[in-house]
Amino acid sequence: MNPFFRILFIFLSGLSFHALDAQEWTRVAPGIWKASVGAIPDISLLRAAGAEPNLEALEQLPEVEFPLPTDRISLEVIDGQVHLRFPLEREEELYGLGLQFKTHNQRGRIMELHVDHYGGADNGRTHAPVPFYVSTAGYGVLVDAARYLTVYAGTAIRVEADDPPLLQDRNTDKQWAAQPYSDAVEILVPAAGTEVYIFGGPSMLKAVQRYNLFNGGGCLPPKWGLGFTQRVPTLYSDSDILQEVADFADHDFPLDFIGVEPGWHSMAYPCTFEWDEGRFPDPKGFLEKLRERGVRANLWLNPYLSPRGSMYPEIKPLSGSHTVWNGLVPDFTLEKARQLYKDHFTEHHIDLGVSGYKIDEVDGYDRWVWPDVATFPSGTSAEEMRQIYGLMVQRMTADWFREKNRRTYGLVRASNAGASSFPYVVYNDYYSHKDFITALINSSFIGVLWTPEVRASKTSEEWLRRMQSVCFSPMAMLNAWADGTKPWTFPEVEDEVRAVAQLRMRLLPYLYTAFARYRSEGIPPFRAMQLWENSDFRSEQRGGNLSSDRNPYGEYASKEIRYQYLMGDAMLVAPMFEGEESRSVVLPPGKWYDFYTGAYVGAGEVITVTPGLDQIPLFVRDGGIVPMIASRNQMPGPDEILPLEIRHYGQSPGSSRLYDDDGTTFDYERGAFSWADLRVKRQGNQLRGSMRIDNPEFFHYREAVNWVFMTRP
Amino acid sequence: MNPFFRILFIFLSGLSFHALDAQEWTRVAPGIWKASVGAIPDISLLRAAGAEPNLEALEQLPEVEFPLPTDRISLEVIDGQVHLRFPLEREEELYGLGLQFKTHNQRGRIMELHVDHYGGADNGRTHAPVPFYVSTAGYGVLVDAARYLTVYAGTAIRVEADDPPLLQDRNTDKQWAAQPYSDAVEILVPAAGTEVYIFGGPSMLKAVQRYNLFNGGGCLPPKWGLGFTQRVPTLYSDSDILQEVADFADHDFPLDFIGVEPGWHSMAYPCTFEWDEGRFPDPKGFLEKLRERGVRANLWLNPYLSPRGSMYPEIKPLSGSHTVWNGLVPDFTLEKARQLYKDHFTEHHIDLGVSGYKIDEVDGYDRWVWPDVATFPSGTSAEEMRQIYGLMVQRMTADWFREKNRRTYGLVRASNAGASSFPYVVYNDYYSHKDFITALINSSFIGVLWTPEVRASKTSEEWLRRMQSVCFSPMAMLNAWADGTKPWTFPEVEDEVRAVAQLRMRLLPYLYTAFARYRSEGIPPFRAMQLWENSDFRSEQRGGNLSSDRNPYGEYASKEIRYQYLMGDAMLVAPMFEGEESRSVVLPPGKWYDFYTGAYVGAGEVITVTPGLDQIPLFVRDGGIVPMIASRNQMPGPDEILPLEIRHYGQSPGSSRLYDDDGTTFDYERGAFSWADLRVKRQGNQLRGSMRIDNPEFFHYREAVNWVFMTRP
């Protein structure tokens, strides 16, 4: 980071405005403004996450003005609670406000943002209830409060509204709207004060980029994190797991890391974090044997400490008043509690070779996590603790690996604002394939990653369709903890499942670059169609049906683009679901091509595709460039030099960039990385590709380069 | 009320304890104690309801000691919020905590008590989220806070629990409980202080009686309120309604009052409270014509004022910051707002002959009522206003009728603690017949009345079964606002529907007496089996399956007695549901008899009954006495003298009391009422009945008395 900006940022963030004047917006980073209202509490989401803004990257984004009329923003403390109001225009749609599973546009909805398991309704109780929204008008709003916020996203209507709804008589007007038009977002923060951030665009994507960069940029996983992972049944022993690894090899199936489930603990729910001597008599030897086979181990845990755990006496005074399954809830806002966990985890797991964690049960369910009446020794309230617990466990565990200069990539059930840079993917116990895709899309608005994990299926078709989706997500995971399913559980589609898993392996250069841009530019690697620049998906989809005098969100909801998303710079993914032989796909402006054949499929239009069972529909934009490697079952190590296949689609020239580094350490932060420029130019009626590599010592695709022009002239 | 106790009460209630000492329990009435914690807010549920305790009646209940160990109660203000804790013993079950629709015992559940429409889950958001619970250990707890309380009803578990759960290892113990045992109820009150009341028993019923009597005693409806009521389609005009009344007469069907739906307003949603000149050109004449036919009119409304209403300019400065359907939300904590409504309603409705109101939309739905960010001119918070709005509108409208010395009996969609004496029945838009019966049963724990209203049915069987249920509820209502159904909509069961409606009419003396005891003794007229005295329904049902080391509430839930309830002194009602030809009925101890035949059916056991389609199963206890009148279609007027049929069931002697008064005024408060003692004695091997009447001038069943001994010797 540019030292000047770092100092400027520290200076600016030190200023806090306790006045009620809502107009005190201070620019804290390029295109990002902050205001404070009331007495600012010690605990906030961003402070819990602790990320440092990437000001250098933010400087690269276009200059923007403050995006809202300040006189229509209101930040007030009323009766000990913060009331916030931000204006809305008729045409705006709102995205974000947490990890939703059934809806995209949140305008017209009410969210009670509360870290919790997802209960089947998009009501704000979810695994990542991030209090951040982006508008189609090209800006974002973040409320940095570790509280249960109530967000009226265009529902509350003031007597003195700037743009009031039509008055209608239900007795006589059949168009009477139960939910009239509202010209504002209003938010109740049950706290004496809070800080609020506004992110400029000018596009939705730019606002999202600013949000992610302000939170340190997106996470760059280790390369092995982008390989395939299997979680084994809960009581598998070391030898069961080694046999599982051998079975994967026998089936010629990709496997980079394996999830070790609760049985590794000497007691679980709550946990000891100590290896069970019966199932894992020699953890170090077991982990070494795994590594010899090229496989890493990810350990399941929940952070609640069993009375049988050796840390219990020391942690007890550093814990909350209430238990979770008889386990202590450590107060991780206390340095000493973090240190005790760090010492134990480092000695017993990380130094033995464990590659990461699956952090379970930090979300809720109210009936077993600590209640809101719990107290903690630091004075942090139960409510604040609920909102930040997932953030804190992500942050501390990630730091432990970072201190070893080893990247990790794990799973977490709860996250929140400020998490963009955390190497964790959110998951849950819900299991709707379609809603998993909705969540994957929504994750791109709020700076988290999501995996539509596969567990079981009733039919081979469902199995294959789910496997195809998860291979086009941040983590390609089969979670067999409960029933021991394998990728080859449905032999009739084993080849097709293997093919899509290996396709993911082949796409490593493309996918890793997408994550590199997440880190360095804040662009989510998997993202909503609404984040396609220079296009208005909303209005294209809405057509002429909108009556802005009437319930507009109803219209919006019915017109959402569902179940398709962008991956990286050039690709569009349109998963198939069981029972569907065809589907429609909305193509952004410009020409689009079939990934598999290079054939032209359409331009800025809605197409219907009828892929076979063996294919997940994938499309590439005109001029799109997709670098790939050969099929393999484990991601390349730091010293492997590989050949590269670079595909080009369409008939237009194009350019792209390809990122590389050692794939496992943080040396990239000290310059040990490389960007290659990929260019396709037209020479006569021929297309020709060229690659220019910066810092070739950190670039591993040097053995040979094969340009493939997928689209016939 | 005895003046001494009145003075004592005023004195005691004037003392408020702002100290944190949880042990300052003050006896405020016989068997009722109060404690205060923190700074007591101006607004509370009981203060909004404004009922005056019936200390004389409370004096009649048995003396009891403070029912809980005070050292296990904790009342604290932590970080600006009230934390309450009350102990639980292993065997206790908890009832109440609002109007639930799917569950009875609340132990093991978490409720967020919040006035709202019922959304399909018993999570605390409901039409009457009364923060009062009664325990099978024979006491009750009320938190008098107009706030969104979170109640952990035996779910939160402290590290330092008095009675901690078993520690279990999920890795090895198949009995591992996701929700371990908790020894406390914990409640979070998001306010700086609150008052808490403890009600002694010694039984659950006695605790409920104390609660109701403390809130002024239950409501005594006018006799006509216990007749049949039909709500007409929304746009019916005066002549449509008079035709409807004629149709009821043609069909020989009971009708005492008719519900006039939104079309009576010149504009509705929001409302003007002014008659539509097209549909109701002569409201006074229309109401007079109705009364000539013996029918009263109940007017639908929601309290939100249309900009087209004449009161708008005056009410605007007395209203909240936000609208409901463009309507003002009057701040009824302000005397002036109440007065403006009173003047208008009195002049335009009550003085013209309107008999009551249906108060709609005071519950929620969040998307259209005022948001929690709304402010009100009195300084009352939006949250407080949400919790008390239904109470306030009930109270003020009831007072207007009372000032005219006319009783009313209406409908309301939201209520709360303190409402026992309000002449209003809660209803909603949900429509599960079974869940409606669950709500009817649960209403008896929390001092509200509920109607399982009939709207439509898919089959004649469903229609008849629903009609049977609603005739054994506080209000026998067919609500045809949407589709114009009539009692004879299914001609194949018209006779059976008429029969049950007329049976309700015949039961007037019995039912009216049940309500009189609700008023004078606090005994709910329709009530849960758990309120049967001297019996432990819980343990009878639970059998030997309980493992108190394991998830006990799971056991409880599966063993609940569902879908049967007590009515009045002697009867048990067991509704039938569509598709069911038989059902089981749990009989309390002692012998029980079929209502229709007098035949013995069982004693303290579970029986299976197979009634025909024409009967709702009804049972009478041994020695039970059921006074009835002849079949009729409208309830008797204040001067009618009628013959009486007094049924006796079983072979035991028995005694009962029969209440009467003019049925329409409040003169009973000034002594204008009568109780008759009904006695059945054995003389040789004959049973003989006798009746002794107090104040016979107020007793209308004097024409003839016919004792019917239903059970053959």
Side-chain angles (χ1 to χ4, degrees), chain A residues 155-161 164-167 178 180-182 186, chain B residues 270 304-307 312 316 319-330 365-371 374-376:
Chain A
T155 60
I157 302 153
R158 284 157 297 132
V159 174
E160 307 294 352
L166 198 67
L167 178 65
Y181 176 80
S182 163
E186 299 204 59
Chain B
Y304 312 115
L305 180 59
S306 168
Y312 193 89
K316 192 172 175 187
S319 295
S321 57
H322 286 67
T323 62
V324 178
W325 301 303
N326 286 292
L328 296 175
V329 182
Y365 180 50
D366 285 350
R367 291 206 200 178
W368 53 69
V369 295
W370 64 91
T375 55
F376 288 87

Side-chain angles (χ1 to χ4, degrees), chain A residues 78-79 81-85 108-110 112 114 125 147 150 152 155-160 164-172 176-180 186-188 234-235 262-270 276 279 306-308 312 316 319-328 361 366-368 370-375 379-381 383-384 481 553, chain B residues 78-79 81-85 108-110 112 114 125 147 150 152 155-160 164-172 176-180 186-188 190 234-235 262-270 276 279 306-308 312 316 319-328 361 366-368 370-375 379-381 383-384 481:
Chain A
I78 299 175
D79 203 14
Q81 297 192 315
V82 176
H83 293 227
L84 307 175
R85 187 170 70 244
R109 310 191 74 248
I110 297 169
E112 302 203 341
H114 189 134
R125 282 190 174 246
R147 290 287 178 176
T150 307
Y152 299 87
T155 60
I157 302 153
R158 284 157 297 132
V159 174
E160 307 294 352
L166 198 67
L167 178 65
Q168 294 174 299
D169 181 0
R170 194 181 186 186
N171 283 340
T172 54
W176 180 85
Q179 198 183 338
E186 299 204 59
I187 302 174
L188 184 70
T234 184
L235 290 181
W264 75 266
H265 294 268
S266 59
M267 174 182 182
Y269 288 70
D276 182 79
R279 290 179 292 270
S306 167
R308 295 195 197 137
Y312 193 88
K316 190 171 175 187
S319 296
S321 56
H322 286 68
T323 62
V324 179
W325 301 303
N326 287 292
L328 297 174
E361 308 291 355
D366 285 350
R367 291 207 199 176
W368 51 71
W370 65 92
D372 288 343
V373 290
T375 56
T380 302
S381 71
E383 175 180 348
E384 290 169 320
W481 76 275
Y553 14 79
Chain B
I78 299 175
D79 203 14
Q81 298 191 314
V82 176
H83 293 226
L84 307 174
R85 187 169 70 244
R109 309 190 74 248
I110 299 169
E112 303 202 341
H114 188 135
R125 282 188 175 247
R147 290 287 178 177
T150 307
Y152 300 86
T155 60
I157 302 153
R158 284 156 297 132
V159 175
E160 306 294 354
L166 198 67
L167 179 64
Q168 293 174 300
D169 181 0
R170 193 180 186 187
N171 283 339
T172 55
W176 179 86
Q179 199 182 337
E186 299 203 60
I187 302 174
L188 184 69
T234 184
L235 290 181
W264 76 267
H265 293 269
S266 59
M267 174 182 182
Y269 288 74
D276 182 79
R279 290 180 290 270
S306 168
R308 297 197 195 135
Y312 193 89
K316 192 172 175 187
S319 295
S321 57
H322 286 67
T323 62
V324 178
W325 301 303
N326 286 292
L328 296 175
E361 308 291 355
D366 285 350
R367 291 206 200 178
W368 53 69
W370 64 91
D372 287 343
V373 291
T375 55
T380 303
S381 72
E383 175 181 346
E384 290 169 321
W481 76 276

Side-chain angles (χ1 to χ4, degrees), chain A residues 110-321:
Chain A
I110 297 169
M111 317 301 284
E112 302 203 341
L113 300 178
H114 189 134
V115 168
D116 202 353
H117 84 295
Y118 178 70
D122 287 6
N123 57 15
R125 282 190 174 246
T126 183
H127 307 271
V130 181
F132 174 68
Y133 64 86
V134 283
S135 161
T136 47
Y139 64 88
V141 175
L142 169 68
V143 181
D144 183 24
R147 290 287 178 176
Y148 303 151
L149 309 188
T150 307
V151 181
Y152 299 87
T155 60
I157 302 153
R158 284 157 297 132
V159 174
E160 307 294 352
D162 296 307
D163 186 6
L166 198 67
L167 178 65
Q168 294 174 299
D169 181 0
R170 194 181 186 186
N171 283 340
T172 54
D173 187 346
K174 284 195 192 305
Q175 302 299 333
W176 180 85
Q179 198 183 338
Y181 176 80
S182 163
D183 65 352
V185 174
E186 299 204 59
I187 302 174
L188 184 70
V189 185
T194 194
E195 289 158 316
V196 182
Y197 296 85
I198 302 264
F199 297 83
S203 65
M204 281 178 81
L205 177 60
K206 288 288 185 295
V208 166
Q209 288 179 253
R210 287 184 209 270
Y211 170 85
N212 286 326
L213 292 171
F214 190 68
N215 291 306
C219 102
L220 179 63
K223 286 181 183 170
W224 57 259
L226 300 180
F228 195 85
T229 183
Q230 165 94 352
R231 301 200 72 85
V232 301
T234 184
L235 290 181
Y236 262 30
S237 69
D238 52 5
S239 55
D240 294 332
I241 292 171
L242 291 167
Q243 182 59 50
E244 182 97 340
V245 171
D247 290 346
F248 267 72
D250 287 350
H251 281 270
D252 185 26
F253 202 91
L255 183 67
D256 265 291
F257 61 113
I258 201 151
V260 186
E261 289 289 306
W264 75 266
H265 294 268
S266 59
M267 174 182 182
Y269 288 70
C271 298
T272 58
F273 315 110
E274 288 158 26
W275 296 89
D276 182 79
E277 289 179 8
R279 290 179 292 270
F280 294 88
D282 174 20
K284 188 159 189 285
F286 160 68
L287 293 164
E288 279 165 3
K289 280 182 197 139
L290 274 184
R291 285 294 290 120
E292 285 162 16
R293 291 155 178 78
V295 174
R296 285 166 172 84
N298 174 294
L299 298 187
W300 173 94
L301 60 84
N302 63 56
Y304 313 115
L305 180 60
S306 167
R308 295 195 197 137
S310 61
M311 289 191 286
Y312 193 88
E314 285 189 286
I315 290 290
K316 190 171 175 187
L318 308 173
S319 296
S321 56

